[in-house]
Amino acid sequence: MDTADSRLTYRDATDADVDALVALIESAYRGDASRAGWTTEADILQGQRTDPQGVLEVVKAPDSRLLTVERDGRIVACCQLEHRGTHAYFGMFAVSPALQGEGLGKTIIAEAERRARETWGVTEMHMTVISVREDLIAWYERRGYRRTGETTPFPYGDERFGIPQRADLRFELLVKPLA
């Protein structure tokens, strides 16, 4: 039986992918299009989630890669992996809203963890999630991530990260051991 997972291909993003990746990330998190999926931040943040410069910086950074996921030749998901010593940082995770709920996210995060472990020999994966995103944090907890209680401030006033719709936003560090 052909599963969605078997039709996925993974590769590192290139400069030529930047516009498509920005569109994907924006569609997963911002505006009305994002409401088709469950990862939307449209009620807590308006404005942009990222921009071409931000995506290109991830693509070009020496200890970073933007893992691009395709199905049938079309980009359907992406995630950032960054080598930070004994751990890897996982970020910029987006799955096309039309495909959310099919199990792609858990398949992709498992592949990202495998690649980080095998490529860099890291023992942990770290990520930050906006602390009010309880549903998203619960999803990561079901994948083995744990809340650390460590938080960093949201960059209020820097519209590159969006326009906050509430005053209590902060990032919480989630960590998963990669055994």
Side-chain angles (χ1 to χ4, degrees), residues 1 17-18 25-26 29 33-34 38 45 47 50 68 70 91 100 104 112 116-117 123 151 154 179:
M1 181 172 133
D17 297 316
V18 169
I25 293 163
E26 292 297 313
Y29 290 97
S34 69
W38 68 273
L45 290 161
T50 191
T68 301
E70 293 178 324
Q100 291 178 19
L104 291 180
R117 193 173 50 247
T123 57
T151 62
F154 186 86

Tab-separated table of all heavy atoms in Angstrom, residues 1 17-18 25-26 29 33-34 38 45 47 50 68 70 91 100 104 112 116-117 123 151 154 179:
chain	number	residue	atom	x	y	z
A	1	MET	N	0.841	-1.194	0.000
A	1	MET	CA	0.000	0.000	0.000
A	1	MET	C	0.881	1.251	0.000
A	1	MET	O	1.834	1.341	0.756
A	1	MET	CB	-0.886	-0.029	1.248
A	1	MET	CG	-1.814	1.153	1.352
A	1	MET	SD	-2.957	0.908	2.710
A	1	MET	CE	-2.832	2.487	3.485
A	17	ASP	N	14.777	27.828	-3.773
A	17	ASP	CA	13.578	27.425	-3.023
A	17	ASP	C	13.030	28.527	-2.123
A	17	ASP	O	11.945	28.376	-1.558
A	17	ASP	CB	13.904	26.218	-2.119
A	17	ASP	CG	14.315	24.990	-2.890
A	17	ASP	OD1	13.666	24.682	-3.904
A	17	ASP	OD2	15.279	24.329	-2.457
A	18	VAL	N	13.765	29.595	-1.945
A	18	VAL	CA	13.433	30.583	-0.913
A	18	VAL	C	12.006	31.098	-1.027
A	18	VAL	O	11.254	31.094	-0.042
A	18	VAL	CB	14.457	31.741	-0.898
A	18	VAL	CG1	13.977	32.902	-0.035
A	18	VAL	CG2	15.810	31.234	-0.395
A	25	ILE	N	5.772	28.676	4.742
A	25	ILE	CA	5.834	29.027	6.163
A	25	ILE	C	4.739	30.034	6.510
A	25	ILE	O	4.039	29.882	7.513
A	25	ILE	CB	7.244	29.565	6.512
A	25	ILE	CG1	8.273	28.432	6.369
A	25	ILE	CG2	7.273	30.151	7.922
A	25	ILE	CD1	9.720	28.901	6.273
A	26	GLU	N	4.573	31.037	5.668
A	26	GLU	CA	3.511	32.019	5.911
A	26	GLU	C	2.142	31.358	5.915
A	26	GLU	O	1.299	31.647	6.762
A	26	GLU	CB	3.565	33.129	4.858
A	26	GLU	CG	4.780	34.023	4.960
A	26	GLU	CD	4.862	34.810	6.252
A	26	GLU	OE1	3.855	35.414	6.671
A	26	GLU	OE2	5.944	34.796	6.871
A	29	TYR	N	1.295	29.536	9.230
A	29	TYR	CA	1.226	30.258	10.496
A	29	TYR	C	0.409	31.535	10.493
A	29	TYR	O	-0.052	31.964	11.538
A	29	TYR	CB	2.643	30.607	10.968
A	29	TYR	CG	3.416	29.399	11.412
A	29	TYR	CD1	4.298	28.759	10.558
A	29	TYR	CD2	3.247	28.875	12.687
A	29	TYR	CE1	5.003	27.641	10.964
A	29	TYR	CE2	3.940	27.762	13.107
A	29	TYR	CZ	4.819	27.145	12.246
A	29	TYR	OH	5.506	26.040	12.639
A	33	ALA	N	-5.289	31.757	5.304
A	33	ALA	CA	-4.883	30.469	4.750
A	33	ALA	C	-4.434	29.522	5.850
A	33	ALA	O	-4.671	28.311	5.782
A	33	ALA	CB	-3.762	30.662	3.727
A	34	SER	N	-3.804	30.060	6.893
A	34	SER	CA	-3.278	29.216	7.970
A	34	SER	C	-4.398	28.559	8.776
A	34	SER	O	-4.182	27.545	9.429
A	34	SER	CB	-2.382	30.031	8.898
A	34	SER	OG	-3.135	30.966	9.654
A	38	TRP	N	-4.048	23.367	11.795
A	38	TRP	CA	-4.197	23.627	13.236
A	38	TRP	C	-2.993	24.346	13.827
A	38	TRP	O	-2.994	24.678	15.004
A	38	TRP	CB	-4.486	22.320	13.977
A	38	TRP	CG	-3.338	21.358	13.979
A	38	TRP	CD1	-3.039	20.427	13.029
A	38	TRP	CD2	-2.320	21.240	14.967
A	38	TRP	NE1	-1.894	19.751	13.364
A	38	TRP	CE2	-1.438	20.223	14.558
A	38	TRP	CE3	-2.057	21.904	16.172
A	38	TRP	CZ2	-0.327	19.848	15.292
A	38	TRP	CZ3	-0.938	21.519	16.906
A	38	TRP	CH2	-0.094	20.494	16.463
A	45	LEU	N	-0.679	36.433	16.509
A	45	LEU	CA	0.295	37.247	15.772
A	45	LEU	C	-0.228	37.560	14.380
A	45	LEU	O	-0.739	36.678	13.699
A	45	LEU	CB	1.623	36.494	15.629
A	45	LEU	CG	2.443	36.315	16.895
A	45	LEU	CD1	3.447	35.189	16.717
A	45	LEU	CD2	3.150	37.610	17.253
A	47	GLY	N	0.848	39.973	10.682
A	47	GLY	CA	2.069	40.333	9.973
A	47	GLY	C	2.802	39.085	9.513
A	47	GLY	O	2.228	38.011	9.412
A	50	THR	N	8.077	35.089	8.539
A	50	THR	CA	9.468	35.148	8.078
A	50	THR	C	9.500	35.943	6.783
A	50	THR	O	8.464	36.418	6.320
A	50	THR	CB	10.071	33.727	7.888
A	50	THR	OG1	11.477	33.841	7.687
A	50	THR	CG2	9.437	32.984	6.730
A	68	THR	N	14.024	20.455	3.269
A	68	THR	CA	12.854	20.682	2.427
A	68	THR	C	12.238	19.330	2.104
A	68	THR	O	12.945	18.393	1.747
A	68	THR	CB	13.283	21.415	1.141
A	68	THR	OG1	13.885	22.655	1.540
A	68	THR	CG2	12.108	21.700	0.229
A	70	GLU	N	9.391	17.217	-0.032
A	70	GLU	CA	8.541	17.260	-1.226
A	70	GLU	C	7.694	15.998	-1.314
A	70	GLU	O	8.099	14.935	-0.854
A	70	GLU	CB	9.397	17.364	-2.488
A	70	GLU	CG	10.146	18.679	-2.596
A	70	GLU	CD	11.038	18.749	-3.827
A	70	GLU	OE1	11.615	17.715	-4.216
A	70	GLU	OE2	11.143	19.840	-4.386
A	91	GLY	N	13.710	24.284	14.139
A	91	GLY	CA	12.865	25.465	14.007
A	91	GLY	C	12.285	25.583	12.617
A	91	GLY	O	12.477	24.711	11.770
A	100	GLN	N	-2.098	19.097	6.861
A	100	GLN	CA	-1.979	18.884	8.300
A	100	GLN	C	-3.033	17.890	8.772
A	100	GLN	O	-4.127	17.833	8.233
A	100	GLN	CB	-2.091	20.211	9.045
A	100	GLN	CG	-0.888	21.091	8.802
A	100	GLN	CD	-0.999	22.441	9.485
A	100	GLN	OE1	-1.774	22.630	10.407
A	100	GLN	NE2	-0.207	23.394	9.010
A	104	LEU	N	2.001	13.727	8.615
A	104	LEU	CA	3.265	14.146	8.007
A	104	LEU	C	4.203	14.764	9.044
A	104	LEU	O	5.408	14.520	9.014
A	104	LEU	CB	3.027	15.172	6.895
A	104	LEU	CG	2.354	14.696	5.621
A	104	LEU	CD1	2.210	15.855	4.648
A	104	LEU	CD2	3.124	13.571	4.988
A	112	ALA	N	13.977	14.408	10.844
A	112	ALA	CA	14.876	15.503	11.217
A	112	ALA	C	15.742	15.097	12.411
A	112	ALA	O	16.951	15.360	12.425
A	112	ALA	CB	14.064	16.757	11.542
A	116	ALA	N	19.830	14.782	12.359
A	116	ALA	CA	20.656	15.563	13.285
A	116	ALA	C	21.574	14.637	14.080
A	116	ALA	O	22.759	14.926	14.263
A	116	ALA	CB	19.770	16.381	14.224
A	117	ARG	N	21.035	13.518	14.533
A	117	ARG	CA	21.812	12.556	15.312
A	117	ARG	C	22.930	11.953	14.460
A	117	ARG	O	24.080	11.898	14.870
A	117	ARG	CB	20.869	11.470	15.842
A	117	ARG	CG	21.427	10.570	16.904
A	117	ARG	CD	20.379	9.625	17.494
A	117	ARG	NE	19.613	8.910	16.480
A	117	ARG	CZ	18.302	9.078	16.233
A	117	ARG	NH1	17.597	9.926	16.954
A	117	ARG	NH2	17.703	8.398	15.290
A	123	THR	N	23.145	14.763	20.983
A	123	THR	CA	22.421	13.923	21.939
A	123	THR	C	21.063	14.497	22.324
A	123	THR	O	20.283	13.828	22.996
A	123	THR	CB	23.256	13.713	23.214
A	123	THR	OG1	23.582	14.996	23.770
A	123	THR	CG2	24.537	12.953	22.900
A	151	THR	N	12.372	30.295	29.613
A	151	THR	CA	11.719	31.130	28.607
A	151	THR	C	12.632	32.273	28.191
A	151	THR	O	13.539	32.665	28.925
A	151	THR	CB	10.389	31.714	29.127
A	151	THR	OG1	10.651	32.545	30.254
A	151	THR	CG2	9.403	30.610	29.500
A	154	PHE	N	9.587	37.399	23.878
A	154	PHE	CA	9.198	37.567	22.481
A	154	PHE	C	9.754	38.918	22.028
A	154	PHE	O	9.728	39.884	22.779
A	154	PHE	CB	7.674	37.540	22.326
A	154	PHE	CG	7.244	37.566	20.889
A	154	PHE	CD1	7.148	36.389	20.169
A	154	PHE	CD2	6.979	38.763	20.238
A	154	PHE	CE1	6.802	36.410	18.822
A	154	PHE	CE2	6.625	38.790	18.902
A	154	PHE	CZ	6.530	37.602	18.198
A	179	ALA	N	18.412	9.455	21.849
A	179	ALA	CA	19.194	8.269	22.258
A	179	ALA	C	19.571	7.429	21.054
A	179	ALA	O	18.881	7.399	20.066
A	179	ALA	CB	18.406	7.430	23.241
